[in-house]
Amino acid sequence: MIELFNISIQLGKRQVLEQVSLKINKGEFVYLIGQTGSGKTTLLRLIYMDVFPDRGNVIVDSYSSSTILPRHVPFLRRKVGVIFQDFKLLPDRNVYDNIAFALQVIGAPQRTIKSRVLSVLTRVGLHHKRYQMPQRLSGGEQQRVAIARALVNKPFILLADEPTGNLDPQVARDILHLLENINRSGTAILMATHNYDLIRQYPHRTLVLENGNFSREINPEELA
Amino acid sequence: MIELFNISIQLGKRQVLEQVSLKINKGEFVYLIGQTGSGKTTLLRLIYMDVFPDRGNVIVDSYSSSTILPRHVPFLRRKVGVIFQDFKLLPDRNVYDNIAFALQVIGAPQRTIKSRVLSVLTRVGLHHKRYQMPQRLSGGEQQRVAIARALVNKPFILLADEPTGNLDPQVARDILHLLENINRSGTAILMATHNYDLIRQYPHRTLVLENGNFSREINPEELA
Amino acid sequence: MRLLFLLKEGIAGFKRARLAATISIATITLSLSLIGMFALLVHHLSAQFQQTYGRIQLEVFIDPAIDSAQRQALEGRIQQLAAVEAVQYVSPEMTLQRFQQDFGDDLLTVLEGENPFPPSLQVILKKEYAELEKVEAAVEAIRALPQVDEVIFQEKFIRLINRYFFIGLIVATTIGATIFFISTMLIFNTIRLTIHSRKTVIEIMRLVGATHFFIKAPFVIEGLLQGLIGSLLASGALWLMSDLLRAFFLPGLTIPWMYFLFLCGTGILLGLLGSYFSIGKYLKF
Amino acid sequence: MRLLFLLKEGIAGFKRARLAATISIATITLSLSLIGMFALLVHHLSAQFQQTYGRIQLEVFIDPAIDSAQRQALEGRIQQLAAVEAVQYVSPEMTLQRFQQDFGDDLLTVLEGENPFPPSLQVILKKEYAELEKVEAAVEAIRALPQVDEVIFQEKFIRLINRYFFIGLIVATTIGATIFFISTMLIFNTIRLTIHSRKTVIEIMRLVGATHFFIKAPFVIEGLLQGLIGSLLASGALWLMSDLLRAFFLPGLTIPWMYFLFLCGTGILLGLLGSYFSIGKYLKF
Ligand SMILES: Nc1ncnc2c1ncn2[C@@H]1O[C@H](COP(=O)(O)OP(=O)(O)OP(=O)(O)O)[C@@H](O)[C@H]1O
Ligand SMILES: Nc1ncnc2c1ncn2[C@@H]1O[C@H](COP(=O)(O)OP(=O)(O)OP(=O)(O)O)[C@@H](O)[C@H]1O
Ligand SMILES: [Mg+2]
Ligand SMILES: [Mg+2]
């Protein structure tokens, strides 16, 4: 359902990825690790088609990067939930409206929006902060809003870029618990992370990005 | 040299800190931990006087929060290096200029600026990205620029808000190594973090913020 | 449902970027007031001018031996000409008086008590006959009538007035067009800047899967509303200003209601187009 | 050293916020061109008007029995009056011709071949004596001279011209002041918006320990430069436009160099003040 065939991509002067191939099946849970600057975020951006490969082809659901029309990209993105590394919350509206926006975009009726947003807010533990503006939230709270927004329209795959970077270990575990639940109900998950502790506690298939390519898939026990 | 006396502060409708007291001596290395939203960032903001307490008094070097004049705040900030949780890089100039800015502010001569900036960039391993714009850097690279800027004018205390949140464990250890070196040369460090692994590897005095107050100082071994 | 949501979003835009919205509206208000005021003044002055100088008068000197019945018959014939608006008899005494008014009270002294003027008819031409050729045609027609001695009209004066009016009109049109052009540019620029200040928001919307239409619509609606509010304020300002001018300098000044219609139409159009084109740049795919 | 750095930063601001800077400059250019063009046209037209209608002419009718030497002596005495610019002899034939010009070619027919006019002197008053009281004083002085029969002047005409000129001046000044006021507002608003779009940058500078002066100075310098560039462009535009107008409609049009000085001064001042006051809001401590 998600496949990358021999992807190469250059950003600025840097060859970020070189001949990368990857396949994620329906309902899989995959970790993506690798040093700072190794290209994890870039790989995720390729999947939600914010950048396009110089060579190779990205296939997501029925869309292919080499044939997709610009006006179809929004529809692809609605099927893919993204937790951005820098959150990307709309600074001009409150927590509730930020999350609701992802549903308004697909034209969901007001009542569905309300119940879905409130339920997902409860799940990430931010029900009481729903009328706050993002810039008044702590780093961890903002991250949880980002998670809630990615979940709210029940995507078939969730791309999580460092979703626990600003969370304390307890909350991080809670979030991972949440992600596993979602995964169990059929949503595939691709999660870029630096938190090896977490991988050890919740082991899944783990890909290592190194020198612009997947050097290997490793066993969680190997992690330093 | 840094003292908080019975600080209480409310932000919006929330009583974030209540009767908090704290003393950090010259050259100390202190960790600050606590759940998401427990007030770590707020405590750091009190020290660089971005917010002022409702009750109580913050003393930093020769400045006191109850008597400081607005026009003296910049001079206090120059003595305090801050690594912001959300980096706060200037989006309109490149890596080099971002770091140089902290020295231009204090009127350092061009030659000093150049040598100091290049040396600190080498220390955080970003010498080769010095002409890149921040938004083209990966999350971890941005974090290292933020670290470099906080270090460059040799502050007497360094406030680090989650400085390793976007870094892989190896780089995180390198940064902590760097911070310990700086600490050894006499700079005090107050570091808010969720990374208990790191605290266990580099143990120092550790304060736990809970329910708006320091519940206790804990032993690194205790950490879950 | 969907439309309602986009409309609400458009209105919410005001709250979300208050400074930007305020400044957009202010720009529209100020520019349109300027355009409106200028147009109004030019319109008023040129109308006044036309009223004062736009009707040509002819002096038709007639046979001094004419009797009253014959004169009235002649008046009737002149009146029937297509170009003529009104005819009035002027006795020699009245002519002398008019000369006195024009050339000072003491013309009689100069003329040593004599009245050299014959009786005449004052003929006022219709407004549409203010051009030189048409005047000349009318003069010929009257001259051809019996008992008409001579027809006099101020050819130089007509030429002069026509010329000044023409220059004035060109100058006013140039200034007006420049004001309009500049205002349009300023409004577009301001809107562009306000949208530029929200480019992060647009970028995030894109990434969350909003279609171009969905992103654009609220901005365009907001632009339209800004245009509407701005032009209503401008209409108010124009109304106030015209009231003041009427009270102090230009007693006959009135604003045709078309002006308000024009201001609102222009404001809405500019707000709409401005935001439509500005936002295009931030939507690649 | 420090100053040099701030200057460099000010210039760098252009590159860092290209759209904002461009639009600021465009606003300044457009507004100042408008002001300049309007002022220039009003100035030119009023000067032309004054040249045409600003000098009062008197007709001094003299004793028909006067001889040439006496007449020249009289001319000399009139010439010596403070109000008088020039005196010229007009024979009865010339007077008749003038009347013919004003009232049509066939006045002679009407007057039945007689010339009723006495000889006269045409007296032109100095520009400073265009007001009604001064004219009347001059008329009295001339009337008191021997061999002067009568002095005639067009009182109504003077009143009319004065009144139209006055109304024209008031209308032009009102429009001009409005344009100036609106332009100032627009420039200030644009600058405010461009600075607003950089509030994150300002906030970060504050947090890194920059003093108010250090944050402000580059913005103010940038504003000043924008004002300078904008006003230079406006000067260029004005020059071009005046060239075009001169070529096609207004042959005598010239721009005094003071205009360029004024435009640059205004541009710089507005850019400077606009940025100075706008940035103040984003600097609490
Ligand atoms: N637009 C761009 N222009 C130039 N270089 C870029 C651009 N975007 C990314 N890069 C570079 O590409 C490399 C990969 O970036 P990417 O964000 O994918 O790394 P990452 O694995 O997500 O790192 P991190 O763990 O720090 O988030 C980085 O070195 C970055 O500097
Ligand atoms: N301006 C504000 N208005 C209202 N509430 C605020 C404001 N700033 C912070 N808060 C609230 O105060 C609490 C403490 O925030 P703070 O940023 O200090 O937490 P933190 O310990 O740094 O959390 P994290 O680990 O997630 O960064 C949070 O719940 C936050 O929502
Ligand atoms: Mg990344
Ligand atoms: Mg924090």
Side-chain angles (χ1 to χ4, degrees):
Chain A
M1 66 175 337
I2 288 192
E3 270 196 83
L4 280 69
F5 292 107
N6 278 321
I7 296 294
S8 298
I9 183 169
Q10 185 171 348
L11 291 176
K13 287 193 210 83
R14 196 177 131 93
Q15 188 69 36
V16 181
L17 296 177
E18 181 88 59
Q19 302 263 53
V20 171
S21 293
L22 165 68
K23 189 168 193 290
I24 296 173
N25 292 314
K26 198 161 180 314
E28 242 191 317
F29 194 134
V30 181
Y31 288 119
L32 190 60
I33 63 173
Q35 276 201 327
T36 289
S38 59
K40 300 181 294 298
T41 299
T42 306
L43 195 139
L44 300 182
R45 288 175 73 197
L46 281 163
I47 297 175
Y48 59 86
M49 300 201 185
D50 188 31
V51 289
F52 286 87
D54 299 326
R55 282 185 304 284
N57 193 9
V58 181
I59 294 189
V60 180
D61 202 34
S62 56
Y63 300 98
S64 157
S65 66
S66 50
T67 59
I68 192 169
L69 296 171
R71 69 167 182 277
H72 288 151
V73 172
F75 298 94
L76 156 69
R77 289 190 184 144
R78 293 173 191 183
K79 299 189 170 178
V80 179
V82 186
I83 303 166
F84 300 96
Q85 190 168 13
D86 54 357
F87 316 147
K88 295 206 191 296
L89 303 178
L90 293 163
D92 60 359
R93 54 199 88 190
N94 66 27
V95 168
Y96 179 94
D97 290 337
N98 256 283
I99 298 170
F101 190 77
L103 290 172
Q104 287 157 349
V105 155
I106 59 174
Q110 204 53 45
R111 290 186 48 197
T112 321
I113 292 181
K114 185 157 186 184
S115 72
R116 291 264 284 274
V117 171
L118 291 181
S119 102
V120 76
L121 271 173
T122 312
R123 267 166 104 176
V124 298
L126 277 179
H127 192 275
H128 60 297
K129 298 250 169 186
R130 65 187 176 283
Y131 297 129
Q132 199 114 359
M133 301 301 278
Q135 62 272 29
R136 305 205 150 176
L137 295 175
S138 80
E141 287 160 351
Q142 289 181 35
Q143 190 152 50
R144 284 188 284 164
V145 178
I147 294 171
R149 184 181 59 190
L151 294 179
V152 75
N153 62 0
K154 303 187 174 162
F156 81 92
I157 183 165
L158 189 68
L159 306 177
D161 200 353
E162 198 74 46
T164 61
N166 286 272
L167 300 177
D168 55 292
Q170 182 50 49
V171 179
R173 276 194 297 273
D174 292 349
I175 293 294
L176 226 84
H177 210 73
L178 179 63
L179 293 184
E180 285 207 320
N181 273 337
I182 290 162
N183 178 239
R184 236 167 269 132
S185 65
T187 307
I189 292 182
L190 178 58
M191 168 168 159
T193 184
H194 292 305
N195 196 330
Y196 297 173
D197 254 2
L198 225 48
I199 301 182
R200 257 176 262 123
Q201 285 173 52
Y202 301 87
H204 293 286
R205 179 181 165 206
T206 303
L207 304 171
V208 185
L209 212 44
E210 226 167 23
N211 301 324
N213 212 315
F214 291 119
S215 51
R216 56 209 154 116
E217 299 202 5
I218 63 164
N219 207 316
E221 277 87 69
E222 287 177 47
L223 286 168
Chain B
M1 65 174 338
I2 287 192
E3 270 196 84
L4 279 69
F5 292 108
N6 279 321
I7 295 295
S8 298
I9 183 169
Q10 187 171 350
L11 291 176
K13 287 195 210 81
R14 195 177 134 93
Q15 188 69 38
V16 182
L17 297 177
E18 182 89 59
Q19 301 263 51
V20 172
S21 292
L22 166 68
K23 188 168 195 289
I24 296 173
N25 293 314
K26 198 160 180 316
E28 239 190 317
F29 195 132
V30 181
Y31 288 119
L32 190 60
I33 64 174
Q35 276 201 326
T36 288
S38 58
K40 303 181 291 300
T41 299
T42 306
L43 195 139
L44 300 182
R45 287 174 74 196
L46 281 163
I47 297 176
Y48 60 84
M49 300 203 184
D50 188 30
V51 288
F52 286 87
D54 299 326
R55 282 185 304 286
N57 193 10
V58 181
I59 294 189
V60 180
D61 201 34
S62 56
Y63 301 98
S64 157
S65 65
S66 50
T67 58
I68 193 169
L69 295 172
R71 69 168 182 276
H72 288 152
V73 172
F75 297 95
L76 156 68
R77 289 189 185 147
R78 292 173 193 185
K79 298 190 169 177
V80 179
V82 186
I83 303 167
F84 300 96
Q85 190 167 12
D86 53 357
F87 316 148
K88 294 206 192 295
L89 302 178
L90 293 163
D92 61 359
R93 55 199 87 191
N94 66 27
V95 168
Y96 180 95
D97 289 336
N98 256 282
I99 298 170
F101 190 76
L103 291 171
Q104 285 157 350
V105 155
I106 58 174
Q110 204 54 43
R111 290 185 49 196
T112 321
I113 293 180
K114 184 157 188 185
S115 73
R116 291 263 284 274
V117 171
L118 292 181
S119 103
V120 77
L121 270 174
T122 312
R123 268 166 101 175
V124 298
L126 278 179
H127 191 275
H128 59 298
K129 299 248 168 186
R130 64 187 178 284
Y131 298 128
Q132 199 114 1
M133 300 301 278
Q135 62 272 31
R136 307 206 148 177
L137 294 176
S138 80
E141 287 161 351
Q142 288 182 35
Q143 191 153 49
R144 285 188 282 164
V145 177
I147 294 170
R149 184 181 59 191
L151 294 178
V152 74
N153 62 2
K154 302 187 175 161
F156 80 92
I157 184 167
L158 188 67
L159 305 176
D161 200 352
E162 199 73 46
T164 61
N166 286 274
L167 300 177
D168 56 291
Q170 183 50 50
V171 179
R173 278 194 295 272
D174 292 350
I175 293 293
L176 226 85
H177 211 73
L178 179 63
L179 293 184
E180 286 208 318
N181 273 336
I182 289 161
N183 177 239
R184 236 167 268 133
S185 65
T187 306
I189 293 182
L190 177 57
M191 169 169 159
T193 185
H194 293 305
N195 196 331
Y196 298 173
D197 255 2
L198 226 49
I199 300 182
R200 257 177 261 124
Q201 285 174 53
Y202 301 86
H204 293 286
R205 179 180 166 205
T206 303
L207 304 171
V208 184
L209 213 45
E210 227 167 22
N211 302 324
N213 211 316
F214 291 118
S215 52
R216 56 210 155 114
E217 299 203 4
I218 65 164
N219 206 315
E221 278 86 68
E222 287 178 46
L223 286 169
Chain C
M1 186 60 216
R2 184 79 175 274
L3 212 72
L4 196 74
F5 170 74
L6 294 175
L7 196 69
K8 268 200 247 162
E9 280 290 295
I11 295 169
F14 283 90
K15 273 184 296 174
R16 291 190 184 127
R18 216 166 294 159
L19 180 71
T22 311
I23 288 184
S24 272
I25 293 177
T27 305
I28 294 172
T29 305
L30 293 173
S31 302
L32 290 183
S33 320
L34 189 61
I35 294 174
M37 198 179 90
F38 187 79
L40 183 65
L41 282 176
V42 168
H43 181 163
H44 176 75
L45 290 180
S46 88
Q48 273 220 330
F49 187 87
Q50 282 214 309
Q51 201 154 49
T52 318
Y53 299 110
R55 270 163 225 260
I56 305 297
Q57 284 186 18
L58 309 178
E59 312 291 326
V60 179
F61 291 100
I62 50 183
D63 186 349
I66 202 167
D67 69 28
S68 175
Q70 284 175 315
R71 204 194 67 218
Q72 276 166 13
L74 181 61
E75 280 180 36
R77 291 188 64 178
I78 293 178
Q79 181 77 67
Q80 276 163 10
L81 294 172
V84 173
E85 170 119 4
V87 181
Q88 209 190 354
Y89 173 63
V90 183
S91 68
E93 294 71 38
M94 287 159 75
T95 308
L96 185 63
Q97 263 178 24
R98 227 192 84 221
F99 269 68
Q100 261 176 304
Q101 277 180 2
D102 281 0
F103 288 87
D105 292 334
D106 302 278
L107 191 69
L108 257 177
T109 332
V110 174
L111 297 172
E112 289 164 347
E114 279 175 53
N115 184 349
F117 298 109
S120 66
L121 297 175
Q122 189 177 56
V123 175
I124 297 175
L125 298 187
K126 288 192 183 134
K127 233 172 33 190
E128 308 87 76
Y129 290 80
E131 283 156 42
L132 198 58
E133 300 91 70
K134 292 184 181 169
V135 174
E136 278 171 346
V139 167
E140 284 316 311
I142 296 172
R143 207 172 258 155
L145 295 172
Q147 285 161 322
V148 169
D149 270 3
E150 192 45 71
V151 182
I152 292 180
F153 72 99
Q154 301 180 22
E155 183 181 330
K156 258 176 86 183
F157 181 72
I158 297 176
R159 280 193 202 282
L160 206 73
I161 291 294
N162 277 344
R163 179 152 166 273
Y164 269 104
F165 189 70
F166 181 68
I167 287 188
L169 217 62
I170 285 197
V171 168
T173 311
T174 311
I175 299 187
T178 312
I179 293 181
F180 190 85
F181 171 77
I182 288 181
S183 299
T184 307
M185 297 271 289
L186 291 177
I187 292 175
F188 269 58
N189 277 350
T190 309
I191 292 179
R192 209 162 133 202
L193 213 52
T194 65
I195 287 185
H196 178 77
S197 74
R198 280 147 96 183
K199 67 170 194 285
T200 340
V201 172
I202 296 171
E203 163 78 6
I204 294 172
M205 289 178 169
R206 272 200 329 110
L207 289 178
V208 168
T211 55
H212 283 196
F213 173 75
F214 197 85
I215 300 176
K216 254 181 188 170
F219 280 100
V220 172
I221 291 172
E222 195 188 326
L224 187 153
L225 287 176
Q226 287 175 355
L228 181 66
I229 296 176
S231 52
L232 287 178
L233 290 176
S235 299
L238 188 64
W239 193 82
L240 272 178
M241 274 191 301
S242 74
D243 228 40
L244 279 176
L245 281 175
R246 179 166 41 245
F248 293 112
F249 306 119
L250 304 169
L253 190 68
T254 53
I255 317 182
W257 60 272
M258 281 291 294
Y259 269 70
F260 299 117
L261 221 72
F262 168 79
L263 284 187
C264 291
T266 311
I268 289 174
L269 207 70
L270 288 182
L272 198 139
L273 293 180
S275 50
Y276 185 84
F277 288 118
S278 302
I279 192 157
K281 316 218 161 182
Y282 300 99
L283 291 174
K284 268 147 233 156
F285 59 87
Chain D
M1 185 59 217
R2 184 79 174 275
L3 212 71
L4 196 74
F5 170 75
L6 294 175
L7 196 68
K8 268 200 245 161
E9 281 291 296
I11 295 169
F14 283 91
K15 273 184 297 174
R16 290 188 185 129
R18 217 167 293 159
L19 180 72
T22 311
I23 289 184
S24 272
I25 292 176
T27 306
I28 294 173
T29 305
L30 293 172
S31 303
L32 291 184
S33 320
L34 189 61
I35 294 174
M37 199 179 89
F38 187 80
L40 184 65
L41 282 175
V42 168
H43 181 163
H44 175 75
L45 290 180
S46 87
Q48 274 219 330
F49 187 87
Q50 282 214 309
Q51 201 155 48
T52 317
Y53 298 110
R55 271 161 226 258
I56 305 297
Q57 283 186 17
L58 309 178
E59 312 290 326
V60 178
F61 290 99
I62 50 183
D63 187 348
I66 201 166
D67 69 26
S68 173
Q70 284 174 316
R71 204 193 67 220
Q72 275 166 17
L74 180 61
E75 281 180 37
R77 289 187 65 177
I78 294 177
Q79 182 76 68
Q80 274 160 14
L81 294 172
V84 173
E85 170 118 5
V87 181
Q88 210 192 353
Y89 173 62
V90 183
S91 66
E93 294 70 39
M94 289 159 74
T95 307
L96 184 63
Q97 264 177 25
R98 230 193 82 223
F99 269 68
Q100 263 176 304
Q101 277 181 3
D102 282 0
F103 287 88
D105 292 332
D106 303 278
L107 191 68
L108 258 177
T109 331
V110 175
L111 296 174
E112 290 163 343
E114 278 175 53
N115 184 349
F117 300 108
S120 66
L121 297 175
Q122 187 177 56
V123 176
I124 298 175
L125 298 188
K126 289 187 181 140
K127 232 168 38 188
E128 307 87 79
Y129 289 81
E131 285 156 40
L132 199 58
E133 300 92 70
K134 290 184 183 169
V135 174
E136 278 171 346
V139 167
E140 285 315 311
I142 296 173
R143 207 172 256 155
L145 295 173
Q147 287 163 320
V148 169
D149 270 1
E150 193 43 73
V151 182
I152 292 179
F153 70 100
Q154 301 182 18
E155 184 181 329
K156 256 177 86 183
F157 182 73
I158 297 176
R159 281 194 202 282
L160 206 73
I161 291 293
N162 276 346
R163 179 152 165 273
Y164 270 103
F165 189 69
F166 182 69
I167 288 187
L169 217 63
I170 284 198
V171 169
T173 311
T174 311
I175 300 187
T178 312
I179 293 181
F180 190 84
F181 170 76
I182 288 180
S183 299
T184 307
M185 298 270 290
L186 291 176
I187 293 175
F188 269 58
N189 277 350
T190 310
I191 292 179
R192 209 162 132 202
L193 213 53
T194 64
I195 287 185
H196 178 77
S197 75
R198 279 148 97 182
K199 67 171 193 285
T200 340
V201 171
I202 296 171
E203 164 78 5
I204 295 173
M205 289 179 169
R206 275 202 325 109
L207 290 178
V208 168
T211 55
H212 284 196
F213 173 75
F214 197 85
I215 299 175
K216 253 183 189 170
F219 280 99
V220 173
I221 290 172
E222 196 188 326
L224 187 152
L225 287 176
Q226 287 175 354
L228 181 65
I229 296 176
S231 51
L232 287 178
L233 290 175
S235 299
L238 188 65
W239 192 81
L240 272 178
M241 274 192 300
S242 74
D243 227 40
L244 278 176
L245 281 175
R246 179 165 44 243
F248 293 112
F249 305 118
L250 304 169
L253 190 68
T254 54
I255 318 181
W257 59 273
M258 280 292 293
Y259 268 69
F260 299 116
L261 222 71
F262 168 78
L263 285 186
C264 292
T266 310
I268 290 175
L269 208 70
L270 289 181
L272 197 140
L273 292 180
S275 49
Y276 185 84
F277 288 118
S278 302
I279 191 158
K281 315 218 162 179
Y282 300 98
L283 290 174
K284 268 147 231 154
F285 59 88

